[in-house]
């Protein structure tokens, strides 16, 4: 491999940063959605477009794990990506006022755990605070 064919270190760092933030935002949105479901809120306060963009991004990031281009706190499998795709679809339906099947909550928990392990709830709370600050145009705390 010549120097011209080697990936630029800055590009690799940017890609890893993008993937990490996609996963972090996804777990934040998953947390917001599951809390709204638990409370019975009709409007969880998640923009459907933001959900779509984040879920598409996290699915791509998860495939980078599966393909061995990234490492993370957990080993992500194709089955994890398939579960995330199902959550993506069920969450989109719920956000548009559609059905919230009973499996949605447990599916959301399984997806969040596949990203960050058993400690996902702490990270989800932090991500939720970051998301709220981001949406309000405030610097993250």
């Amino acid at each position: 491999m010549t120097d011209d064919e080697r990936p630029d270190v800055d590009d690799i760092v940017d890609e890893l940063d993008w993937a990490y933030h996609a996963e972090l935002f996804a777990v934040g949105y998953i947390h917001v959605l599951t809390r709204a479901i638990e409370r019975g809120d009709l409007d969880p306060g998640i923009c459907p477009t933001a959900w779509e963009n984040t879920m598409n991004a996290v699915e791509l990031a998860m495939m980078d794990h599966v393909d061995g281009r990234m490492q993370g706190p957990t080993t992500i499998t194709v089955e994890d990506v398939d579960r995330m795709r199902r959550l993506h679809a069920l969450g989109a339906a719920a956000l548009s006022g559609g059905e919230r099947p009973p499996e949605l909550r447990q599916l959301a928990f399984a997806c969040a755990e596949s990203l960050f392990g058993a400690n996902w709830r702490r990270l989800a709370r932090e991500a939720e605070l970051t998301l709220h600050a981001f949406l309000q145009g405030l610097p993250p705390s």
Side-chain angles (χ1 to χ4, degrees):
M1 180 181 285
T2 68
D3 285 340
D4 291 337
E5 294 172 331
R6 293 176 203 254
D8 181 38
V9 172
D10 289 337
D11 289 343
I12 293 170
V13 169
D14 288 345
E15 185 176 337
L16 292 173
D17 185 58
W18 169 86
Y20 172 76
H21 281 93
E23 292 172 358
L24 189 62
F25 275 29
V27 83
Y29 280 130
I30 290 168
H31 189 248
V32 170
L33 180 63
T34 56
R35 287 185 51 226
I37 290 169
E38 289 170 345
R39 290 189 309 263
D41 290 351
L42 296 177
D43 179 12
I46 300 173
C47 170
T49 302
W51 174 265
E52 280 299 312
N53 292 339
T54 300
M55 297 309 285
N56 285 327
V58 78
E59 289 166 21
L60 290 172
M62 290 174 78
M63 284 307 299
D64 281 345
H65 285 273
V66 170
D67 293 337
R69 289 189 296 269
M70 283 183 53
Q71 300 280 325
T74 64
T75 300
I76 295 175
T77 66
V78 173
E79 291 80 18
D80 294 324
V81 178
D82 289 342
R83 260 194 306 280
M84 188 64 76
R85 287 182 179 137
R86 177 132 174 85
L87 175 62
H88 180 169
L90 291 176
L95 291 173
S96 66
E99 181 183 2
R100 293 180 180 185
E103 75 175 290
L104 182 57
R105 184 173 173 264
Q106 279 310 112
L107 180 62
F109 291 162
C111 288
E113 190 165 338
S114 74
L115 292 172
F116 291 105
N119 200 23
W120 73 268
R121 290 176 196 264
R122 181 185 60 78
L123 290 168
R125 286 189 294 274
E126 292 173 14
E128 184 179 354
L129 292 174
T130 300
L131 282 169
H132 285 298
F134 175 75
L135 294 172
Q136 294 174 3
L138 302 173
S141 53

